[in-house]
């Protein structure tokens, strides 16, 4: 049961400790039963060779394999980690084998129990179990095994305590967990969001993340179709969606390889006129939304076995959305979906939802939308909707578990800035974060801490390049990873928060070398894992992954997953290529 609970924890959220507590709590029961089986055998004055071997096997599983499984679930997953865990189990195996071959020669007391042992009894591993339980209790379990490292370098560790850090020897590896992935509580299915405007979040204490950019609105930089929507519904699973001007395109990672292989993309539904919006509310479940040229909401979904209503078909939902604006979709309860779009007549929001059985009508939702909408769920049966109005100010309305708030709340912008980029996110229950930028103001951050809204804080320096788009993700409570797209140079820049901003509040790590034309798409499918995707002007889909101890394919390289030119020759056996960055 302990091993299975550890496996269950791996499938769930790192914030959801229930399965791990079960895993750790079952191990002391092994000590109790180990004590009782010997006591009962001596009381009955009966023993057998089979019983002796079963006792040793049970000890090996209870005090060797189970603790190693728990340590793996909590983060010891690098090749060196797994080697050390295997060595730990083998040490336990050797100790028990030694006991079995020497026990007959050891002196016994009047009850038949050995007077002493040679070596350390394997149940002593419960001391390690107690240490792991303490770390989980204190919330330190995600920081046990890796220390901060500059993600923009390879083979160099960052010295702490300085805004402009010097690089030293590589002694520590970071645990940079990013996610447009949500791993829900209680081991339930993962829920993700697309790298643009929507968020799916169903369970309590979820890592809710959303990344957003511009709509095709006045004063906004139009990227047209150079977008990719990334989502994950489970451990070691990634699904990428885009559109080629007509078709929905798809590529996925199943834990061992990309499909379709090579540099091609699978062709799905037809008639799409906007980038896809993706939601997952359960394991092996995907819902994809978009608009056609007439403003009708299109929906296609994966039910675990096939695409519905068909491989190349969409079902039509509400009619009357503005096709020049993207829609937002999310889920705050498993099996239910919420969709928001803009009315082209009066600029207000329209809302449609699925209650698990039927779709509602598309109805007015109020507001005066200039850029948006953005939607995020920050807990079970809780959701918030945001947009920028024509004054560039952030507006919000929320669902409190029973009803929608009656009015839109408008947040006054700092220094009378006119924001034209908006992103919202949540790293857990009752937490909301708003990220906004204006052409000359840099990036600003506003958050709800569960009781009140904080003041705006500026996250850019006076000499920073103008920001065009922002991607935000979180892999644990009070942790952010942010990538921005420069408005002029089209370069990605990176910073993160883990109690303090790194490299500093007003500075960024540069990621030069590739000119991107898409909103930065970040996603995490599990602890200590980050996947970053972006589209170039040449229609190349690039990918880089943080594997827990290094960047893949390398700190200075990107993997090419799809290319307009290369796709034509992919059928001839062309393999995935790499793009080297120029530092």
């Amino acid at each position: 049961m302990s091993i299975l609970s550890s496996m269950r924890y791996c499938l769930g959220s790192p914030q959801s400790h229930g399965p791990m507590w079960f895993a750790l709590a079952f191990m002391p029961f092994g000590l109790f039963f180990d004590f009782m089986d010997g006591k009962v055998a001596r009381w009955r004055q009966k023993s057998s060779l089979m019983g002796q071997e079963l006792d040793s096997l049970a000890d090996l599983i209870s005090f060797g394999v189970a603790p190693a499984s728990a340590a793996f679930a909590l983060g010891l997953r690098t090749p060196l980690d797994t080697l050390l865990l295997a060595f730990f189990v083998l040490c336990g195996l050797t100790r028990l084998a030694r006991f079995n071959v020497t026990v007959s020669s050891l002196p016994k007391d009047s009850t038949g129990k050995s007077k002493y042992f040679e070596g350390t009894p394997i149940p002593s591993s419960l001391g390690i179990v107690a240490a792991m339980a303490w770390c989980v209790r204190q919330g330190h379990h995600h920081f046990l095994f890796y220390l901060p490292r500059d993600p923009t370098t390879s083979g160099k560790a960052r010295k702490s305590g300085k805004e402009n850090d010097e690089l030293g020897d590589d002694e520590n590896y970071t645990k940079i967990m990013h996610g447009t992935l949500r791993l829900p509580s209680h081991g339930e299915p993962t829920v993700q969001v697309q790298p643009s405007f929507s968020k799916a979040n169903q369970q309590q204490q979820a890592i809710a993340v959303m990344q957003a950019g511009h709509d095709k609105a006045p004063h906004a930089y139009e990227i047209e179709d150079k977008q990719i929507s990334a989502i994950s519904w489970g451990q070691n699973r990634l699904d990428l969606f885009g559109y080629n001007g007509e078709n929905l395109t798809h590529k996925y990672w199943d834990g061992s390889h990309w499909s379709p292989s090579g540099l091609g993309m699978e062709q799905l539904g037809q008639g799409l006129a906007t980038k896809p919006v993706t939601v997952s509310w359960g394991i092996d479940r995907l819902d994809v939304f978009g608009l056609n040229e007439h403003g009708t909401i299109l929906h296609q979904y994966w039910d675990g076995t096939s695409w519905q209503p068909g491989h190349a078909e969409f079902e039509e939902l509400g009619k009357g959305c503005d096709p020049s604006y993207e829609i937002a979709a999310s889920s705050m309860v498993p099996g239910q979906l919420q969709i928001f779009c803009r009315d082209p007549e009066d600029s207000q929001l329209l809302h449609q939802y699925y209650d698990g059985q039927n779709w509602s009508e598309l109805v007015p939702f109020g507001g005066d939308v200039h850029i948006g909408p953005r939607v995020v769920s920050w807990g079970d049966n809780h959701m918030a909707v945001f947009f920028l109005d024509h004054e560039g100010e952030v507006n919000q309305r929320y669902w409190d578990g029973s009803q929608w708030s009656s009015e839109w709340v408008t947040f006054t912008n700092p220094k009378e800035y006119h924001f034209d980029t908006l992103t919202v996110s949540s790293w857990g229950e009752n937490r909301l974060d708003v990220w906004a930028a204006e052409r000359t103001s840099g990036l600003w951050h506003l958050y709800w801490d569960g009781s009140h809204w904080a003041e705006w804080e500026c996250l850019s320096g006076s000499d920073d390049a103008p920001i065009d788009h922002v991607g935000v993700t979180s892999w644990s409570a009070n942790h952010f990873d942010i990538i921005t797209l420069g408005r002029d140079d089209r370069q990605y820049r990176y910073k993160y928060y883990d109690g303090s901003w790194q490299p500093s509040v007003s500075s960024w790590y540069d990621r030069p070398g590739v000119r991107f034309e898409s909103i930065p798409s970040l996603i995490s499918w599990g602890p200590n894992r980050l996947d970053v995707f972006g589209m170039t002007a040449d229609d190349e889909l690039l990918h880089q992954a943080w594997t827990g101890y290094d960047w893949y394919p390398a700190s200075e390289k990107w993997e090419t997953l799809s290319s307009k030119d290369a796709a034509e020759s992919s059928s001839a056996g062309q393999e995935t290529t790499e793009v080297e960055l120029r530092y």
Side-chain angles (χ1 to χ4, degrees), residues 129 453 563:
V129 174
W453 286 97
S563 170

Side-chain angles (χ1 to χ4, degrees), residues 249-279:
T249 60
H250 177 229
K251 195 182 190 78
Y252 66 93
W253 171 262
D254 64 4
S256 61
H257 65 282
W258 288 100
S259 295
S261 60
L263 301 177
M265 298 281 282
E266 175 187 18
Q267 305 293 307
L268 296 178
Q270 298 179 341
L272 203 63
T274 63
K275 75 174 292 295
V277 173
T278 54
V279 177

Side-chain angles (χ1 to χ4, degrees), residues 19-89:
M20 181 49 59
W21 282 122
F22 278 112
L24 298 174
F26 277 122
M27 295 183 211
F29 283 99
L31 180 63
F32 171 77
F33 289 117
D34 183 44
F35 172 78
M36 290 302 298
D37 70 349
K39 192 172 185 66
V40 170
R42 289 188 295 273
W43 171 64
R44 298 188 61 195
Q45 296 184 349
K46 290 185 178 181
S47 63
S48 67
L49 183 60
M50 180 178 179
Q52 175 180 305
E53 297 303 323
L54 287 176
D55 179 67
S56 295
L57 180 60
D59 287 349
L60 177 64
I61 295 174
S62 299
F63 309 118
V65 179
S69 300
F72 178 87
L74 285 174
L76 284 175
R77 303 183 185 181
T78 70
L80 178 60
D81 295 336
T82 53
L83 182 62
L84 292 175
L85 292 176
F87 179 74
F88 170 79
V89 175

Side-chain angles (χ1 to χ4, degrees), residues 384-401:
V385 185
F386 297 83
F387 66 82
L388 291 178
D389 59 26
H390 286 78
E391 301 300 321
E393 293 185 320
V394 178
N395 290 253
Q396 180 228 14
R397 193 176 173 190
Y398 61 90
W399 175 265
D400 63 6

Side-chain angles (χ1 to χ4, degrees), residues 322-449:
D322 189 339
S324 65
Y325 282 70
E326 298 182 24
I327 64 174
S330 181
S331 175
M332 56 182 170
V333 177
Q336 299 183 15
L337 294 162
Q338 309 282 333
I339 305 175
F340 299 87
C341 66
R342 182 182 184 269
D343 189 329
E345 300 296 330
D346 56 12
S347 301
Q348 72 169 319
L349 279 183
L350 301 175
H351 176 219
Q352 186 172 19
Y353 66 89
Y354 181 72
D355 62 9
Q357 295 182 336
N358 301 294
W359 283 100
S360 71
E361 296 295 324
L362 186 65
V363 298
F365 198 70
D368 182 20
V369 182
H370 177 61
I371 292 176
R374 313 288 189 259
V375 57
V376 61
S377 177
W378 45 268
D380 189 21
N381 205 23
H382 287 78
M383 178 178 290
V385 185
F386 297 83
F387 66 82
L388 291 178
D389 59 26
H390 286 78
E391 301 300 321
E393 293 185 320
V394 178
N395 290 253
Q396 180 228 14
R397 193 176 173 190
Y398 61 90
W399 175 265
D400 63 6
S402 60
Q403 62 183 359
W404 287 102
S405 56
S406 58
E407 298 179 350
W408 288 93
V409 176
T410 301
F411 300 93
T412 302
N413 288 357
K415 301 181 180 180
E416 298 183 353
Y417 286 129
H418 191 287
F419 289 138
D420 58 10
T421 294
L422 177 66
T423 300
V424 297
S425 65
S426 173
W427 50 249
E429 188 172 10
N430 213 15
R431 170 72 186 219
L432 289 169
D433 290 88
V434 179
W435 317 83
E438 191 259 350
R439 181 176 294 273
T440 60
S441 69
L443 181 64
W444 289 79
H445 175 221
L446 177 72
Y447 67 89
W448 169 263
D449 64 4

Side-chain angles (χ1 to χ4, degrees), residues 488-499:
D488 299 325
D489 61 10
R490 319 308 297 164
Q491 303 290 313
Y492 282 174
R493 291 175 177 83
Y494 171 80
K495 74 190 314 172
Y496 69 93
Y497 181 85
D498 60 357

Side-chain angles (χ1 to χ4, degrees), residues 42 99 103-104 106-109 111-117:
R42 289 188 295 273
F99 174 79
V103 65
S104 60
L106 295 176
K108 308 292 192 300
D109 59 19
T111 65
K113 183 179 180 180
S114 298
K115 290 184 177 181
Y116 59 86
F117 297 100

